[in-house]
Amino acid sequence: MPAWNADWRERALPELAARDWDLIVVGGGICGAGILHEAARRGWTCLLLEQRDFAWGTSSRSSKMVHGGLRYIAKGQLALTRDSVRERQRLLREAPGLVEPLSFLMAHYRGEFPGPKLFGGLLALYDAMAGKRNHLYYPLQQLRFLAPGLKEAGLLGGTRFFDAVTDDARLVMRVLGEARGEGGEALNGVRVVELLREQGRVVGLRAEDRETGRRFDFHGRAVALATGAWAERLRSPRGQEHVRPLRGSHLLLPAWRLPVAHAFSFMHAADRRPVFVFPWEGATVVGTTDLDHRQSLDQEARISGEELDYLLAACAQQFPAARITGADVLSTWAGVRPVVGDGESGRRPSEETREHVLWVEPGCVTLAGGKLTTFRLLALEVLRACADFVGRPLVEDDGALFGPCVAPALAQLSPALQRRLSGRYGRELPGLQEVLAEVGCECLPGTQTLWAELAWAAQGELVLHLDDLLLRRTRIGLLLPGGAGAQLPRIRQLCQARLGWDDARWGQEECDYLALWRACYSLPEPVAAPAPIINP
């Protein structure tokens, strides 16, 4: 594949705009990446355009879980749960090192919901969908060894089951890499201004390069809008269904402050919603909230003071001895879920269905809603709806999502690190190996991230801005104090030339990144007004 960087992008933009496409995908999150990949592997000519950066929206700010949606069983959404469980198992098989099993523990307390028998019954159905028993109940004495530090008052025991966890932004990049390997093209920093129509049919779109302000018209036989919470920007829904943007915020703590070997699921005392505390990337995540996001979608979502208090209260509730405070927080993130609502007033955010819908008009299909785990199935559904517009039948192919990994010799790395890199980089592993030979195999202090990963991303993963590099290609802006500010001098030494930035450009990027981190990934500013209820 050709180099995938800013120089390539500048040359390629007018050339790509001059081509006729079978399919143009709008939106560079996991759903858009999945659509591009499934189209490319079937031989469709296809292009993806993302307004900011790949995974910039929800797909880099999710709860990082690849799960079957256990709580959907209780709501009667059995088909959604079945599909999610099967897709979880597929990802575990095909992407080891990127999607990994995660042990969950649900503690049971006297008189509280759910009790061991009810929860065990739900898990029996959950496991049946996966094709194997995957849960076990532990009485109190055994649970103490598995989960030291849990709230003891009224504790009866706990049930252990398994789902999976991922780095969501890297999953997007891996799927895009597979799509590009099959002939698809993807561009970031390209904002779609409007859809182009002829005789009542969508025939393409007009887009603006956010880096230069230049505008281009792109033409295609079909357009697929996979823009998440932005789904209604380019076309209107039909009927009563609308996207209801719901914000979920998270805290990231140093592992030593709240060391957990499992994901702990429990009901928040304030509203009886499920919340989680779980290990991720060598740190501990606390999340999530669920409330209407009323701020502009053009600005990055950020945690509020009320949400911070809510999540700190969750820590105090389940791990009282840890005494977690805001001073312990490494970073925060907030994502906006594209949940489809029916307009029914008074429905709490957590009561909305997580089902998706397709809005179809001649030449254009809009995907609204959906979830990370089932992105492949969503992509296929979109392509079936696009096939008549394209004039090509959709070949039903249940082959592997990820192609074979051409693994170079990585003997200098531990088996665990080899597995991690193979899962994250796939087809791009030979290129990363060349950078490893030059840069070495050292990790950034306190992380599992190699310096070579930063160097590779800078030269080969279409980084346009510093936050692309530190918050999405790698996650060190979340994992290190102050957004990795102390490491910026060495990052500059390693990456500036690879990015092609002069000193003035680097200085501006660094200033912009640190301002963004303080505003959207750090602790919120103190709130003077009384805190509203999280879930009205």
Side-chain angles (χ1 to χ4, degrees):
M1 290 187 288
W4 201 39
N5 54 32
D7 287 342
W8 168 85
R9 179 184 177 280
E10 185 176 0
R11 296 191 307 272
L13 244 175
E15 297 172 5
L16 296 177
R19 292 174 57 180
D20 286 324
W21 300 93
D22 288 330
L23 178 67
I24 303 174
V25 182
V26 183
I30 189 60
C31 290
I35 295 167
L36 184 76
H37 176 232
E38 293 298 335
R41 67 194 294 262
R42 287 164 172 79
W44 294 17
T45 59
C46 48
L47 168 71
L48 181 147
L49 303 177
E50 159 58 38
Q51 65 169 335
R52 296 290 189 95
D53 184 36
F54 308 120
W56 174 82
T58 313
S59 293
S60 64
R61 293 180 257 177
S62 75
S63 292
K64 320 304 182 196
M65 293 180 186
V66 177
H67 62 85
L70 180 61
R71 70 189 181 98
Y72 305 146
I73 293 179
K75 295 184 176 182
Q77 296 173 287
L78 298 183
L80 177 60
T81 306
R82 180 200 62 223
D83 290 344
S84 298
V85 167
R86 292 175 179 176
E87 291 302 298
R88 178 198 69 191
Q89 294 304 108
R90 174 190 284 266
L91 288 166
L92 283 167
R93 287 194 309 270
E94 296 185 15
L98 176 58
V99 180
E100 294 283 24
L102 181 62
S103 167
F104 281 69
L105 275 172
M106 168 67 81
H108 302 291
Y109 291 88
R110 187 173 294 106
E112 291 190 8
F113 178 87
K117 290 185 178 180
L118 174 60
F119 196 64
L122 289 175
L123 285 172
L125 181 55
Y126 199 53
D127 291 351
M129 292 178 179
K132 64 178 181 179
R133 181 179 171 86
N134 212 16
H135 74 277
L136 188 64
Y137 176 75
Y138 293 89
L140 178 57
Q141 294 302 323
Q142 294 180 17
L143 184 64
R144 284 182 174 135
F145 287 102
L146 275 177
L150 275 180
K151 181 184 71 172
E152 287 267 342
L155 183 60
L156 300 173
T159 303
R160 186 186 186 193
F161 62 101
F162 285 84
D163 263 319
V165 68
T166 191
D167 179 336
D168 48 1
R170 286 308 319 178
L171 180 60
V172 171
M173 295 303 296
R174 177 74 193 276
V175 176
L176 285 175
E178 294 293 327
R180 294 181 61 244
E182 298 287 350
E185 298 284 5
L187 293 167
N188 53 358
V190 181
R191 181 178 69 91
V192 176
V193 178
E194 62 179 325
L195 299 178
L196 302 177
R197 291 179 169 86
E198 292 180 2
Q199 299 178 343
R201 177 190 175 109
V202 174
V203 296
L205 51 85
R206 180 162 295 139
E208 178 183 78
D209 176 8
R210 293 174 65 104
E211 301 299 301
T212 65
R214 294 182 299 172
R215 290 195 170 189
F216 300 90
D217 287 353
F218 295 82
H219 293 88
R221 281 168 276 283
V223 174
L225 302 180
T227 52
W230 294 261
E232 295 175 27
R233 285 286 179 89
L234 292 173
R235 76 178 288 277
S236 300
R238 293 184 177 180
Q240 298 300 312
E241 295 171 329
H242 288 270
V243 172
R244 182 180 181 181
L246 300 179
R247 187 169 70 245
S249 296
H250 307 77
L251 310 179
L252 193 68
L253 307 172
W256 66 269
R257 273 304 281 120
L258 189 55
V260 291
H262 316 273
F264 290 87
S265 176
F266 54 98
M267 299 297 177
H268 199 294
D271 55 10
R272 308 309 299 169
R273 278 189 57 255
V275 290
F276 300 91
V277 175
F278 62 96
W280 180 74
E281 292 294 303
T284 300
V285 177
V286 183
T288 177
T289 58
D290 196 12
L291 72 163
D292 286 297
H293 182 71
R294 305 190 188 281
Q295 288 72 43
S296 170
L297 291 173
D298 292 328
Q299 299 176 345
E300 297 218 19
R302 62 193 70 184
I303 191 172
S304 67
E306 296 80 23
E307 289 172 290
L308 172 63
D309 291 342
Y310 178 89
L311 295 176
L312 290 176
C315 294
Q317 172 187 325
Q318 201 66 12
F319 299 94
R323 299 184 182 277
I324 301 298
T325 70
D328 297 310
V329 175
L330 271 175
S331 62
T332 67
W333 71 81
V336 181
R337 306 178 187 94
V339 174
V340 179
D342 59 8
E344 182 179 325
S345 62
R347 178 174 287 177
R348 289 169 43 148
S350 58
E351 294 172 347
E352 291 283 15
T353 177
R354 266 42 177 179
E355 297 279 5
H356 68 282
V357 297
L358 296 186
W359 299 325
V360 182
E361 67 172 296
C364 182
V365 177
T366 300
L367 170 64
K371 56 200 293 284
L372 180 149
T373 308
T374 55
F375 74 88
R376 185 187 71 92
L377 299 181
L378 298 175
L380 292 175
E381 191 171 336
V382 170
L383 293 185
R384 291 187 190 101
C386 290
D388 286 343
F389 304 144
V390 174
R392 302 179 63 168
L394 181 72
V395 178
E396 296 293 343
D397 178 1
D398 197 38
L401 179 64
F402 299 114
C405 179
V406 183
L410 295 172
Q412 72 273 37
L413 303 177
S414 69
L417 196 48
Q418 291 182 46
R419 175 185 175 95
R420 175 185 170 87
L421 295 180
S422 295
R424 286 161 180 264
Y425 294 95
R427 295 172 185 258
E428 305 297 335
L429 206 53
L432 177 62
Q433 173 70 357
E434 293 180 7
V435 178
L436 278 167
E438 176 187 350
V439 174
C441 303
E442 180 188 0
C443 288
L444 279 81
T447 77
Q448 304 168 44
T449 303
L450 297 169
W451 286 102
E453 293 182 77
L454 283 164
W456 167 248
Q459 72 184 47
E461 290 193 331
L462 203 48
V463 170
L464 300 182
H465 297 283
L466 191 57
D467 61 297
D468 303 343
L469 180 66
L470 303 185
L471 294 175
R472 287 173 291 279
R473 304 300 183 276
T474 68
R475 314 314 292 271
I476 63 172
L478 300 175
L479 295 165
L480 293 178
Q487 302 295 336
L488 285 175
R490 186 170 175 185
I491 295 171
R492 177 177 186 172
Q493 182 182 24
L494 182 66
C495 297
Q496 182 176 345
R498 287 180 163 88
L499 290 165
W501 296 349
D502 59 21
D503 289 345
R505 171 73 185 274
W506 181 274
Q508 186 62 54
E509 289 285 342
E510 191 172 300
C511 182
D512 291 346
Y513 165 70
L514 291 174
L516 172 68
W517 188 89
R518 286 190 293 268
C520 300
Y521 294 90
S522 184
L523 293 175
E525 295 181 0
V527 181
I533 298 173
I534 289 291
N535 285 317

